Amino acid sequence: MTTLAFLSANLDLGYLLPAFRAEFPDAELRTMADLGPLDAIDAAVCWCPPAGLMARMPNLALIQSVGAGIDHLTADAALPDVPVCRIVDTDMASGMAAYVTWAVIHGQRHMGRYLASAAAGRWEEAPIQPPRAHRVGIAGLGTLGLVCARALMALGYNVRGWSRSPREVPEGLDCFHGQAQQAEFLAGCDTLVCLLPLTDETTGILNRELFAQLPRGAHLINVGRGAHLVEADLIPALDAGHLGAATLDAFVQEPLPPEHPFWRDPRILVTPHIATRTQPAVIARQTRLNLERIRAGQAADVAVDLQRGY
Ligand code: NDP
């Protein structure tokens, strides 16, 4: 019999149980409330699991993140040496492309101003610029970044991307990579979208020095992780005009506390980490496929490289 444990220190993963019951009809599903004997657990389905817990599961074969990122796992210094998988999902990618496209258009076409004008009953035009005149840079050209790039290119935006290593990209997408090409990439970003994984290298990457390298008045969209942004650097960069606006979906502390200054700054648009989601059925199916492959002695499809951090 297969035994799955749902582990989180800060989220009730109970919403996943019906989908997992359908996908694993004969398995035992255990939650944090009653984990039972730890040596019976075959797979851990996780979001921010308590540190050190999985090290006490001697027969664990799979650590499955319920999200695209694994930064919530790498904080565990005692993570056992078993395959770690993340979710790669076309619905998640198209949801992210929809959010990012909306945020780019909202900024570039001055939709915030129109919302304010409409509320006041004012007929007021803002400058109209064709998409091809607006340069959107996507930092992180992975599963999600590439889908966002394609969606924006289809609308005529001038899109560029930045990754860690050189990679194959669609025709027309200007590509930069590594530290050496970061400044050149940033200099051409009227809007900068952060879709990086959170690693030692990318923590705090959205900071004062980086903002100063963007064209004046650039729009920052952070759909990566809260810790990509040095929060204390944002309002000063807006005040100095290095940035014109920010759209933020992820925060160091979630929910963002009511007293946080981001809520009250009209140049900052806060959304509650809703850029995209994966359906429970997809998480359950990918977990089953990963476990089947591992038990058959094959590599799991979407295993991550813990050395690289993503
Ligand atoms: P991938 O692992 O597929 O892609 C990561 C990309 O970032 C790759 O292009 C990689 O480069 C690049 N990268 C990594 N490190 C660096 C670095 N130091 N410098 C430059 N580029 C770097 O990730 P996904 O596209 O699936 O997801 C990206 C992130 O989006 C997730 O980690 C998560 O944090 C966030 N996310 C947010 C959600 C939300 O609702 N707000 C929902 C889902 C995900 P290379 O190609 O060379 O490997």
Side-chain angles (χ1 to χ4, degrees), residues 196-211:
L196 291 163
L198 188 66
T199 64
D200 290 347
E201 276 179 35
T202 66
T203 298
I205 192 170
L206 304 174
N207 60 33
R208 181 164 51 149
E209 288 80 25
L210 179 141
F211 301 148

Side-chain angles (χ1 to χ4, degrees), residues 70-72 74-75 162 164 179 182 194-211 222 224-231 233 251-252 308-310:
I70 55 133
D71 44 290
H72 59 102
T74 46
W162 184 60
R164 204 166 66 107
Q179 209 55 45
Q182 192 196 40
C194 176
L195 261 171
L196 291 163
L198 188 66
T199 64
D200 290 347
E201 276 179 35
T202 66
T203 298
I205 192 170
L206 304 174
N207 60 33
R208 181 164 51 149
E209 288 80 25
L210 179 141
F211 301 148
N222 186 18
R225 289 284 183 257
H228 283 131
L229 174 67
V230 177
E231 288 193 351
D233 287 357
F251 304 88
V252 173
R308 210 178 50 163
Y310 68 100

